[in-house]
Amino acid sequence: MKITRGNALRGLRGYGAVAALLITLTGCLAGPAQYYGGTGVHDATAAEAAGVWESVEGTAMTLRPDGTATVTRLDGRDFDFDEGWRLSGKGAWSLFDTPDGQRLRLELTARAGVDRRADATMPPPDGGDPPTTYSWRFYVDRDERRSLVLFFFVGDPDAGSTYVMTRRPTATTAP
């Protein structure tokens, strides 16, 4: 085959299409949440994390200084979020450090209730019951005021959607 300018350009376009396809497929396999390392926060203390944390639709968790916790209507993480169940009960929590930043581990050890989100997109698998125990791993971050924020990823990892918990303001006394 004689190489002409037209043949060379068609060949380059063909390679470009293959490269674009590979980039697209790689992006689908490795979404933002799959390789998220962490926030880089290393200065949070257990005393700072203890308190009442809230999110949408009545979700709350109380982290006590003694390491015990109460969970109210907390959604599942990752793909469990799509099943739509929300767990309530008692458990334990701890703050730990990784090279990429701190995380907060929350373990539900005694389920006391189950709710279902109205917007749940998937029915429970095989009509199964939500878990009786469950573990969450929250990333620890700071907002613009340097206050702690806790979050985990929900749904499809390619979407990078986060479930954010914010600390309930504590009452302050005037001097």
Side-chain angles (χ1 to χ4, degrees), residues 116-155:
R116 184 158 175 78
R117 279 193 340 272
D119 69 340
T121 57
M122 296 175 59
D126 303 323
D129 196 30
T132 56
T133 62
Y134 196 75
S135 297
W136 291 268
R137 300 291 182 274
F138 290 89
Y139 290 94
V140 176
D141 201 2
R142 292 197 179 275
D143 64 15
E144 62 280 350
R145 295 179 317 271
R146 302 276 311 138
S147 298
L148 285 187
V149 175
L150 304 175
F151 70 93
F152 57 85
F153 289 99
V154 295

Side-chain angles (χ1 to χ4, degrees), residues 18-85:
V18 170
L21 179 63
L22 288 174
I23 289 169
T24 301
L25 289 175
T26 303
C28 290
L29 297 173
Q34 291 177 340
Y35 296 110
Y36 183 76
T39 62
V41 171
H42 294 280
D43 63 348
T45 64
E48 188 179 16
V52 179
W53 294 82
E54 299 173 316
S55 192
V56 297
E57 299 176 3
T59 297
M61 63 184 185
T62 302
L63 307 177
R64 292 180 197 82
D66 67 358
T68 61
T70 302
V71 175
T72 305
R73 303 183 77 209
L74 187 56
D75 291 280
R77 59 183 163 68
D78 302 322
F79 283 113
D80 290 342
F81 179 81
D82 294 334
E83 293 181 22
W85 46 255

